Amino acid sequence: MSRREKSQKNGNGIIMKVEVLVSAVEQDAAELVAKMNIHTDAVLVNQCGRYGYEETAVTGGMVKCLSMPKRGVGLSRNTALLHAEREICLFSDEDIVLTDDYEKRILQAYQELPEADMILVNVKVAPSRKTYWNQDIHRISYRNYGRYPAYSITAKVEALKRANVYYSVLFGGGARYSNGEDSLFLRDCLKAGLRIYAHTICIGEEIERKSTWFSGYHEKFFKDRGVLYHFLYGKMALPLAFRFLWVHRRQMCQDISLPKAFALMRAGIREGKGQ
């Protein structure tokens, strides 16, 4: 099947194609492309201590690999998005293996939901890391956006650029604060008025590895979470921080007591206000 035959048209008759946007650290571009089963156009941003550019041809397109010395997952995702040229992008990571027909599945989802600016898809992960699984097609709102990782996010590139929405460079691997960049990104997309849906298609599987940001429920974890809650929830950050700790107290407050964890989150909220 030709690349054109695999592609689909949007409502304006424009042929739609998928471009994978990969954030990676210290990887060989050709080896990673093969390991991830990428066979469409892609932009791979490799944080590896040097500047460079190379292209790797795949069956259905070209992978552009940009090497950069500066670390930060938000910075790398923004860099990839700025270089995206196709109609639909799929954010991804170096530990994701895509299905053989990921492009077909994603384009079919947009055909079913032509009004969608973004569609959040399923990716298989280990039970210990599972935060969501879409059982049906539904609209994403402020009530249910917080469970989705970057590798579940697909979007119309023009919609993102028109809304001027990008990843925070304060949060995530390689940044000042541990994690939360995906939730902030989706929150900002909702604030910009983008129409986000969840879909039941599965487009890949995560290969389990050691977390790049989580190293236990220590003081930095709780303080960083407080900073995140300030940016996510504003005036509601403090009561929602207590609710978060209370719900997860048996899991999270074994080494650090709940009162101390709350004090750390409160300190993080104050720090967030000063950013």
Side-chain angles (χ1 to χ4, degrees), residues 25 68 71 96 145 154 251:
V25 178
M68 56 191 294
R71 299 296 176 92
I96 303 298
Y145 73 91
T154 75
Q251 177 186 2

Side-chain angles (χ1 to χ4, degrees), residues 207-222:
I207 304 304
E208 193 169 7
R209 62 170 179 169
K210 184 178 179 181
S211 174
T212 57
W213 70 270
F214 180 73
S215 57
Y217 299 111
H218 40 57
E219 291 190 3
K220 179 173 171 53
F221 171 87
F222 293 112

Side-chain angles (χ1 to χ4, degrees), residues 243-259:
R243 178 183 179 276
F244 168 75
L245 292 172
W246 181 258
V247 170
H248 300 287
R249 64 191 183 281
R250 291 185 177 86
Q251 177 186 2
M252 296 182 177
C253 298
Q254 297 181 18
D255 298 323
I256 294 179
S257 68
L258 190 150

Side-chain angles (χ1 to χ4, degrees), residues 22-72:
V22 184
S23 176
V25 178
E26 299 287 352
Q27 294 290 323
D28 177 274
E31 290 180 4
L32 182 60
V33 167
K35 184 176 75 171
M36 292 183 64
N37 194 31
I38 293 174
H39 48 267
T40 60
D41 287 318
V43 182
L44 194 164
V45 177
N46 192 22
Q47 302 159 87
C48 60
R50 62 180 175 82
Y51 288 108
Y53 178 80
E54 59 184 301
E55 295 182 346
T56 298
V58 293
T59 303
M62 184 68 68
V63 179
K64 297 174 288 188
C65 178
L66 293 85
S67 299
M68 56 191 294
K70 194 167 184 180
R71 299 296 176 92

Side-chain angles (χ1 to χ4, degrees), residues 187 225-235 237 268-275:
R187 191 279 311 269
R225 185 55 60 104
V227 177
L228 174 65
Y229 268 45
H230 163 70
F231 282 97
L232 282 176
Y233 305 121
K235 293 180 180 180
I269 291 169
R270 288 197 298 268
E271 183 172 322
K273 291 178 180 179
Q275 293 295 329

